[in-house]
Amino acid sequence: MRTLHSIVGLLALLLAFGAVATPAPMAGAQPEAVQAVPSDVHLFYYPWYGTYRHWDQGGHTPPDDIGANFYPTLGAYDSGSTAVLDQHMAWVRQSGAGVIVTSWWGQGSYEDNLAPAIMAAAERHGVKVAWHLEPYGNRTAASTVADINYINARYGSSPAFYRDAAHGNRGAFYVFESLRITDWTALEQVRNTSIVLAQTTDTSKVAHFGGMYTYDGIAGATAPGWKNASDFCKANGLVWAPSVAPGYLDDRAVPGNTTPTVDRANGAMYDQQWNNALNPATGGAPSWVSVTSFNEWHEGSIIEPARTNPPGGNGYLTFDGAYGTTGAAAETAYLDLTRYWVERFTGGVTPPVNPDLARGRTITASGTQPGYPASNANDGNQGSYWESTNNAFPQTLTLDLGSTQDVGRLVLSLPPSWGARTQTIEVRASADGSAYTTVAPPQGYRFDPATQNTVTVPATARHRFVRLVFSGNTGWPAGQVAELRAYRN
């Protein structure tokens, strides 16, 4: 189990879309031509699970009771299972990422012994493998150099071994908790073969390293030091690989732990952290983006699918509501959003299957309270919001979709920390912005912090303009919206 530093905040671009179908697990030999995937997004991957190995963390009794707040779609699986590995690699492909960074705990460790099977599965699916060097007992700079040489020698001939063509065709090694060791001079011995990344944003602690990463899924919410680290890496020819996470929650794995949690906010947090990684104001243009994590279940940072109907009686959470999805679609929602961000980062052109039609569109309002403009309802930040002129119902919020679109539902959010309230909302639609037709009659919609203050409004329309008419609010005498999203279905 890791210990992360505590830094939480808000700055985001909330971009969302629905789910795509989960590909069937692939088995056997790799097809003759596996389509290449981007190699600049790396998913931290954990192969430490066995027949109840690791799943019992925190005093739990698998298979139904595990040390995690979410429950895997695959159940309490064995990381050595060929079927599990094939499904994992298929999901990695679905995410759009091309590299996993496998957790490695020393020569001859459990994770080292599973590496051949991981490499074989990755090869079958066209996925590449980099290495996360963990802080095993008595690790030193010299032993780390020996480990890198060992990994290069033992696994370097595999087609799945990741090498970055943009940086001398060298392999990638992330060193977790690199600050435990003060003198890393020994890394000069492997500089020509390997890119070794320090886990820090302190530029005074990276002498002899080939780059920097953060791992911390809590700090990613505010990106502390990211701009300085990014600028330093660019100026010195180093790799900058900030880490983004969908959330953090370890209550079941570490009972009584005081580590802060980071709520997923139905996907808003993941978008927020990705935006921090790509935004020039908080770093921008990273060499790679690392994702914390594919399957660190103990910390609740996973993008691996989680069951929407987990075993009862254990208080498990689900992904239901993520990006407006439910059921099977919600289980893969974080894979699907990862794909969107991968394509945005790498310049891919594949559009999401069910995109947010409101993304980037113009929003106007009939009235606005000073400091809370209509544009806040579409800025990707669930912490900011539009508020209408107070004590002046009815008030309207109008979305211009740019062209005629088929809309099936709207998803509305308020800041997740707000108290519960019910807003009375009618939905109207128009082809020209002048003559409006009611497509959803006035109804009370309850915004509750227990459901991330998010509601879904069924509203079938084929028009360019969609207008919300607010006629009541039990929490404040005005219309209020933090995020407005629109979907086809």
Side-chain angles (χ1 to χ4, degrees), residues 247-314:
Y248 182 90
L249 181 60
D250 65 1
D251 291 351
R252 283 177 58 83
V254 190
N257 191 11
T258 58
T259 302
T261 62
V262 176
D263 194 275
R264 289 176 176 250
N266 285 332
M269 177 53 64
Y270 196 36
D271 289 329
Q272 178 172 316
Q273 296 203 19
W274 265 101
N275 188 62
N276 283 343
L278 304 187
N279 189 341
T282 45
S287 310
W288 311 328
V289 174
S290 50
V291 176
T292 308
S293 63
F294 180 79
N295 64 335
E296 218 296 19
W297 287 92
H298 303 311
E299 295 182 350
S301 64
I302 61 273
I303 64 169
E304 180 183 354
R307 279 191 196 171
T308 194
N309 56 343
N314 295 288

Side-chain angles (χ1 to χ4, degrees), residues 74-111:
L74 298 180
Y77 56 75
D78 181 348
S79 292
S81 162
T82 299
V84 167
L85 289 172
D86 276 319
Q87 179 63 85
H88 279 178
M89 298 309 156
W91 278 333
V92 170
R93 289 297 302 249
Q94 181 175 345
S95 79
V99 180
I100 61 169
V101 186
T102 190
S103 176
W104 190 85
W105 288 85
Q107 299 177 38
S109 65
Y110 182 89
E111 295 77 15

